[in-house]
Structures are given as structure tokens and as C-alpha cells.
Amino acid sequence: MKRSIFRWFKDVSIAKKLYFTVGIMALLIAIELLALFFSINTLSSVRAYVGGEGLWSKAQKDALYQLLEYARTRNEASYAKFEGFMKVSLGDHKARIELSKPNPNLDIVREGFAEGRNHPDDIDGMIKLFRRFHSNLYIHRAIVAWTQADEVITGFVAIGQQLHEAINTVPYSQEKVTAILNQVDPLNDRLTPMEDEFSFALGEGSRWLEGNVLKLLFIIALTVECTGLTLAITVSNGIQKGLKEILLSTNTAAKGDFSRKARIFSRDEIGVLAGNFNAMSEELERLVRENKEVNNSLEKKVRQRTSEMESKNKELEQFAYVASHDLQEPLRTIAGFVDLLQKEYQPKLDGNGKVYLTYLSQAAFRMRTLIKDLLDYSRIGREREVQPVDINHLLEEVLADLGKSIRDSDGVITAGPMPILQVYPTELKLLFQNLIANAIKFHHPDRQPEIWISAQQEEHHCVFAVADNGIGIEPQFLDRIFIIFQRLHNRTKYEGSGIGLAHCKKIVEMHEGKIWVESKPGLGSQFYFTISTDL
Ligand code: ADP
């Protein structure tokens, strides 16, 4: 039972916990107020009895005085006053007798107390005190004293009647009257200690009650404090513990580890939050796992594709090497004869013959260029000495070499400051030449070609960029263009061999670097390459 209440308290919502705490406190405070109200009422009733006793004792003295007056003056008016004062004590007597019965008639009791001249507002409290506490030690002592005093009062009434009778008897006997009056003092002497006992008992009772009430109030106040404190600590500890758990798990999750789950201590809002957090981190863990798997398989594919491309490149390189060597000799022969034909026979040929010979000469020229490119490409790597080169000068030379095509295309070239590096100068020059020539060649027909060349020094390498505002490259071709003989654009429109970028790649690799391109079709391309600064 105790456990289930504890469990229930743990699991209810935080708002309910707070309401419960405040509710318990309010209940305890109400109990405290009730106890206070009850004690004040009880003490006020004790005060009413003490006051009643004062009235009782005064009436008693007055009655005695009137009795003695009556004996001295034999005036009936004094006797009537005597009877009047005696009514006070007799009223209280009537109330006590009725209250002592198991089922007292409260009207008679009220009547009796009223005759005892008690204040009407006090009477109900006096009745309650008598009935509730008659067995209490102090109240019981007071009632005993009151009962004994009532017996003495009955004695007084009897003396009064005897005196009245003696005074009204003819012949009047002074001896008899004196004998009757002699009974008064002993009775009066008996009464005083009873009155004292009554007052003392009530006084002690009220002090006892006050002490107990104070203790009770103190205990209730302590209970209110302790309960409030315990509930507040329990609630705040619960919240703190739950939040700490969630915090630890979120901290771990923030570092990318979703394996730590928040422990759930309750089913309140914090518990629900922890549960939701756990579900979320499980989902994230699953996603990360899946992502890793996808990444791994992607990486595998990329590796596979790269190695495929590298082997394709090697095959093509091999071909280029063989072709350049084996074609060189026959081509030289063809070119020689074409030259001879042009010099010796062209004037003798008719119109068609001249045109055919021109075609032949142009084709031979293109083939020579191709073979030259291939030979250049195959020769890369033979130059083994790096030299310190001011790239600013090197770039100036390149731009001077390309001067005519730049001017023809109306191109604008902007170059940033370049570093001095240890490089293979001939190769690097070729690299810049290829990239800038391509940027001019693939310019956008509707725009003036613009080319930006920049360099940025990093810790172990320098990053160069050659950017243009040309026709750009479709994304699906980006990884292909560095393979030899790859030409993406219209071959009749753009002349070329598809060797240039493969050449660039080789040169960059000689410099322990990488080359890559970023491009937006229709807007332009940015070629980047790095060169190691530790060569
Ligand atoms: P080539 O220029 O002789 O065709 P390259 O190897 O230099 O051969 O270039 C390969 C292909 O890459 C080109 O045919 C062209 O389709 C594309 N390309 C190279 N540079 C650029 C550029 N700056 N802008 C657009 N396309 C380019």
C-alpha cells in the first residue's frame, strides 16, 4: 500500500504533484486552525466557569448577609433577598444535576446556568466543556468540589427555612434563633476550601490545556513544515534526477554517441521526456548506422570507380605512348611528301587538286599537333629537377605565349599575386597553358570571356585556381574530363585532342598535388590544383 502510494506519487504529472503538496499543506494548516479554534473555545468556557464561580460565591456572601439581616431585623424583605441570592447557586446546582444525567435536557441546563447569572453567550460553551471533559482529571476535581459545595448550599437553604419558621413562630424564641444562626459559620467555613478547590482545579486544568494546546500546535506546525519540505524535496529531487539523466544523455548525443539512454525513474512529464528522448536517440542511432552503411558502400563504389578510371587511363596512356612513337615516322614521311607536293606540284594542279592538297596539308598539320601533344604527354616525368620559380614570371610567360588567342577572343585575365615555389617549370607552364587555353576556348558565345587566376598558400601546399565565365561542364562529366581523350563538347565546333587535362593531371601529380573542377553549366568553371610546398 505504502509502496503503491509512493509509486503513484512518482508517476503523476508534475502539476498534480504540486497540487498534492499544496493540498496536504492546506489540509494540515486547516487542522491546525481547527485545533486552535477548539482550544480557544475550550479555554473561553473554562474562563466562563471561573467567572460563574465568582458570581456564585458573591451571591453566596450576599445571601448570608441578608440572612443575618433577617435574623436581626426580622424584616421579610431581607428574607426575600436571601432567597433571591440563593437562586444563583441553586440555578448552577440545577444545571449540574441535569448535566450529570446520561441524557440531560439541555433546556433545563441552559435555564439553570441563566439563573446562575452566567452570560448567555457562554452557556453553550460551558455545557460542551462539562460534557466533553467531565472525566478529565481537573474538570472532574472541579465538579467534585462543586457537588460538595452544592450540599453545603442545600444546608444554607435549610437554615434559611428554619430561621424563617422560627421568626414567624409565636411566641418568638431568641434562643432558638441563636441556635439556628450558630449553624451558619461552620457551614461557611466548609464552603471556602471547596470554592478554592473549584477555582484551583479549573486554573490547573486551563494551564494543562494551554500547555497541551501549545504542544499540539507546535507538533502540527512542525508536521506542516516537515511534510511541505519533504514533499518539495521529493518533487524537486525527482525533477532534478530525471533532468540530470536527460542532460547526460543529450551531452553524449551531442558528441555523436547515441548509445547512452536516459534512465526513466517515473512516468511524469520528465519520464515522458526521457522516453521520447530515448526513442529519438534510437532513431538517430539507426539513421547514423544506415548512413554509415550507405557511406561505406558509396566509398567502396568511388574507390572501385577510381581504380577503374585509373586503369583505363593507364591503358590509354600506354596507347598514347605507342601511338606517338609508331606514328611519328610515317607521319613525318607523309608530311614531307605533302610539303614536296605543295612546293613542286601545286601550281600545276587544277582547282580540285589544289583544294584536296590543302585538305591534305591541314590534316597533316593536325596530326603533327596531335602527335606532338601525345609526345609531350608521354615525356612528362622525365624532368627530374625542381627549381625555385617565381610563379608571377612563369604566368607572365604563359600569357605572352597565349597573347594572340587572348586578344582574338577579347578575353580579360585577372591574376592575383603568385608565390615563389620549388616546381618543374616547363611542366607547370604547360599546366597553366592548358587551363587558360581551355578557359578561352570554351568561353560563352554571349559573354566577353573573363578568367581569374589566384593562388593561396596553405600549410603544406599551395592551392591554385583558374576560373572562367565560360560554357561550363555538365555535372555527370566532371569526373571524366581528366581522362585522356575525353572531349565533351561539340567536336566540330571546338578543336582539340582531349589530352590537355589528362596532361594537367599528370603534371599536378608530379608536384604531389591534386586537380579537380567545380562548374555550373552555362555560368562557368573553376579548375583547382594543389602543388606541394615540400618538394
Ligand atoms: P581538349 O581541350 O583538347 O578537348 P582537354 O583535355 O583540355 O581536351 O579537355 C577535355 C574536355 O573538357 C574538353 O573537350 C571540354 O569538353 C572540357 N573542358 C575543359 N576545360 C573546360 C572549360 N574551361 N570550360 C568548359 N569545358 C571545358
Side-chain angles (χ1 to χ4, degrees):
M1 177 67 182
K2 196 174 150 201
R3 237 197 102 66
S4 69
I5 288 179
F6 190 62
R7 187 74 248 169
W8 168 85
F9 188 68
K10 261 174 116 183
D11 290 344
V12 290
S13 71
I14 293 172
K16 276 193 187 147
K17 272 182 195 135
L18 292 177
Y19 291 150
F20 180 79
T21 309
V22 172
I24 290 276
M25 301 271 289
L27 184 76
L28 288 170
I29 289 170
I31 292 174
E32 185 161 10
L33 286 176
L34 269 177
L36 199 64
F37 177 73
F38 173 77
S39 333
I40 288 172
N41 266 352
T42 310
L43 284 172
S44 150
S45 303
V46 172
R47 179 204 42 77
Y49 270 107
V50 174
E53 190 274 330
L55 290 170
W56 186 94
S57 135
K58 185 174 176 298
Q60 194 50 44
K61 299 277 173 295
D62 288 343
L64 194 61
Y65 173 75
Q66 292 302 332
L67 193 69
L68 295 176
E69 263 309 280
Y70 178 53
R72 190 173 62 79
T73 59
R74 285 184 254 160
N75 182 348
E76 282 305 315
S78 295
Y79 184 69
K81 279 184 187 165
F82 163 77
E83 279 186 322
F85 284 124
M86 283 312 286
K87 266 190 188 158
V88 174
S89 311
L90 289 173
D92 288 336
H93 169 75
K94 184 160 92 181
R96 183 185 61 76
I97 295 293
E98 193 60 31
L99 275 172
S100 305
K101 292 178 186 168
N103 289 312
N105 181 339
L106 294 183
D107 288 337
I108 299 177
V109 177
R110 283 192 193 99
E111 197 182 277
F113 276 136
E115 286 167 5
R117 292 205 203 147
N118 291 291
H119 195 281
D121 290 348
D122 287 339
I123 291 176
D124 280 344
M126 293 168 83
I127 294 172
K128 276 183 198 147
L129 183 76
F130 193 102
R131 297 183 70 190
R132 273 186 199 139
F133 295 104
H134 64 272
S135 50
N136 168 276
L137 176 72
Y138 303 102
I139 303 296
H140 179 73
R141 260 174 60 192
I143 293 172
V144 169
W146 186 3
T147 311
Q148 289 168 353
D150 272 352
E151 281 166 19
V152 178
I153 291 300
T154 324
F156 268 120
V157 173
I159 289 172
Q161 281 167 358
Q162 283 171 29
L163 191 67
H164 189 243
E165 220 176 272
I167 286 176
N168 288 308
T169 308
V170 185
Y172 170 77
S173 159
Q174 184 59 44
E175 288 84 39
K176 200 172 179 188
V177 169
T178 309
I180 291 169
L181 285 180
N182 282 344
Q183 295 172 40
V184 171
D185 273 350
L187 267 191
N188 211 19
D189 289 347
R190 273 178 66 202
L191 207 54
T192 310
M194 289 168 198
E195 285 171 33
D196 289 350
E197 167 64 3
F198 183 83
S199 301
F200 288 154
L202 283 181
E204 275 180 57
S206 79
R207 274 190 295 282
W208 169 84
L209 187 65
E210 270 170 34
N212 280 349
V213 165
L214 276 180
K215 269 187 220 151
L216 182 72
L217 290 181
F218 178 74
I219 288 169
I220 294 177
L222 206 69
T223 316
V224 171
E225 300 290 324
C226 292
T227 314
L229 214 65
T230 312
L231 287 174
I233 288 173
T234 311
V235 173
S236 85
N237 268 0
I239 294 174
Q240 227 176 2
K241 210 161 103 183
L243 282 180
K244 198 172 158 200
E245 262 302 303
I246 297 173
L247 213 66
L248 283 175
S249 300
T250 47
N251 278 348
T252 326
K255 287 175 196 146
D257 176 6
F258 300 103
S259 59
R260 192 189 188 287
K261 301 282 172 284
R263 273 185 300 159
I264 299 174
F265 300 107
S266 63
R267 274 180 290 191
D268 59 7
E269 287 88 333
I270 304 283
V272 172
L273 186 67
N276 287 350
F277 173 80
N278 287 347
M280 190 183 79
S281 73
E282 245 164 48
E283 185 61 19
L284 282 172
E285 203 177 9
R286 191 182 62 75
L287 283 176
V288 167
R289 204 174 38 243
E290 278 176 16
N291 207 18
K292 256 190 202 148
E293 279 164 15
V294 170
N295 271 356
N296 282 348
S297 87
L298 267 179
E299 243 171 54
K300 212 170 141 190
K301 271 189 194 148
V302 167
R303 267 204 306 275
Q304 204 175 342
R305 190 153 164 69
T306 312
S307 93
E308 272 170 24
M309 278 173 28
E310 271 171 5
S311 75
K312 194 172 171 193
N313 220 14
K314 281 233 167 64
E315 276 170 28
L316 289 169
E317 270 178 26
Q318 189 67 27
F319 167 77
Y321 180 73
V322 173
S324 59
H325 264 267
D326 293 0
L327 286 179
Q328 213 179 0
E329 208 40 54
L331 186 66
R332 200 173 292 144
T333 309
I334 293 171
F337 277 107
V338 168
D339 276 353
L340 194 70
L341 275 172
Q342 274 189 317
K343 276 185 205 140
E344 299 288 326
Y345 297 99
Q346 200 171 27
K348 295 170 195 164
L349 290 175
D350 60 5
N352 275 350
K354 278 183 184 163
V355 172
Y356 297 152
L357 196 59
T358 310
Y359 283 164
L360 206 60
S361 157
Q362 282 173 351
F365 178 75
R366 278 209 301 276
M367 276 180 77
R368 268 213 302 266
T369 318
L370 174 66
I371 294 293
K372 186 183 158 299
D373 282 354
L374 278 170
L375 280 174
D376 281 349
Y377 180 72
S378 323
R379 269 193 217 111
I380 291 173
R382 294 196 189 155
E383 193 177 353
R384 275 285 148 238
E385 283 299 300
V386 282
Q387 296 169 23
V389 174
D390 182 345
I391 312 292
N392 293 292
H393 289 159
L394 187 137
L395 206 56
E396 274 168 23
E397 282 173 28
V398 172
L399 295 177
D401 288 351
L402 290 171
K404 186 175 176 319
S405 54
I406 296 171
R407 275 191 305 279
D408 288 350
S409 69
D410 217 10
V412 180
I413 302 201
T414 315
M418 296 287 145
I420 295 175
L421 291 176
Q422 289 278 3
V423 295
Y424 298 102
T426 319
E427 317 291 337
L428 192 66
K429 206 170 149 186
L430 210 61
L431 168 59
F432 273 115
Q433 250 168 11
N434 278 336
L435 292 179
I436 298 168
N438 276 350
I440 294 167
K441 185 161 62 171
F442 298 106
H443 74 263
H444 199 286
D446 305 333
R447 286 194 289 266
Q448 182 186 22
E450 281 189 69
I451 300 161
W452 298 271
I453 306 164
S454 61
Q456 193 179 328
Q457 198 105 28
E458 307 269 314
E459 203 178 344
H460 291 293
H461 58 259
C462 183
V463 187
F464 291 90
V466 178
D468 63 56
N469 63 344
I471 55 174
I473 304 163
E474 297 291 333
Q476 67 269 30
F477 299 130
L478 289 178
D479 62 342
R480 265 178 40 188
I481 57 171
F482 297 101
I483 296 175
I484 191 167
F485 301 138
Q486 298 295 320
R487 297 171 66 198
L488 317 175
H489 298 101
N490 188 333
R491 284 157 195 244
T492 50
K493 199 168 163 199
Y494 300 103
E495 274 205 9
S497 57
I499 300 172
L501 287 180
H503 208 152
C504 292
K505 184 166 185 280
K506 253 187 149 183
I507 296 170
V508 167
E509 280 164 3
M510 270 179 83
H511 290 87
E512 293 172 11
K514 284 186 301 184
I515 183 165
W516 70 99
V517 61
E518 291 169 8
S519 179
K520 284 207 171 81
L523 292 177
S525 315
Q526 298 88 45
F527 282 83
Y528 297 96
F529 65 89
T530 61
I531 282 189
S532 167
T533 46
D534 304 329
L535 289 174

